[in-house]
Amino acid sequence: LFQQCPNNRMGSGTNQDKWVPNPASRSTLQLRMFRFVGALMGASLRTHSALELDLPALVWKPMVGEVCGYVDIAAIDDAFKQDMQALTAAEDQKTWEAMQRCWRGRAQTRKKE
């Protein structure tokens, strides 16, 4: 349901103790489990009981209506931070290509309606 943040998996950067929702957790059962975690969080708040769930700002900020930004992502993903610094430092496409950076992403597919 949850996985270690990128910094923990890579063994670098800060906030290596944080957990993030696993993006592959999309089954009906897993979504019900997320709902249960939310119910536990609500019960914890109502009863003033501590709930040891170490989530980064990237996860909890939207829950309390705050906006996430670059700083929140960079705090748990040092590789992302370094790539963004390199991207902003590149003055043109030739400079970027000379850095030999490789971007990885997930393909998203749309459901047919």
Side-chain angles (χ1 to χ4, degrees):
L1 200 59
F2 289 91
Q3 65 184 18
Q4 296 166 328
C5 73
N7 280 354
N8 184 293
R9 292 193 306 269
M10 299 301 288
S12 66
T14 59
N15 295 308
Q16 292 186 32
D17 57 336
K18 305 295 183 192
W19 291 83
V20 293
N22 184 343
S25 297
R26 292 180 277 173
S27 73
T28 302
L29 175 62
Q30 290 165 325
L31 294 176
R32 285 176 49 209
M33 292 168 75
F34 276 125
R35 187 175 181 95
F36 180 73
V37 169
L40 285 176
M41 293 170 83
S44 173
L45 290 171
R46 285 190 302 276
T47 61
H48 305 285
S49 303
L51 179 64
E52 293 292 328
L53 188 57
D54 208 354
L55 302 173
L58 183 67
V59 175
W60 65 257
K61 275 187 174 181
M63 291 181 190
V64 298
E66 291 188 26
V67 178
C68 292
Y70 165 79
V71 173
D72 300 311
I73 299 170
I76 61 165
D77 192 340
D78 204 47
F80 169 81
K81 178 181 165 184
Q82 291 173 11
D83 282 345
M84 289 305 294
Q85 288 172 341
L87 177 63
T88 56
E91 296 175 6
D92 54 26
Q93 183 174 350
K94 196 173 193 177
T95 305
W96 177 255
E97 289 171 355
M99 291 182 203
Q100 298 180 347
R101 295 284 184 169
C102 178
W103 289 86
R104 294 172 300 282
R106 291 185 195 198
Q108 293 185 353
T109 57
R110 290 186 174 182
K111 292 182 181 179
K112 293 183 181 179
E113 297 180 25

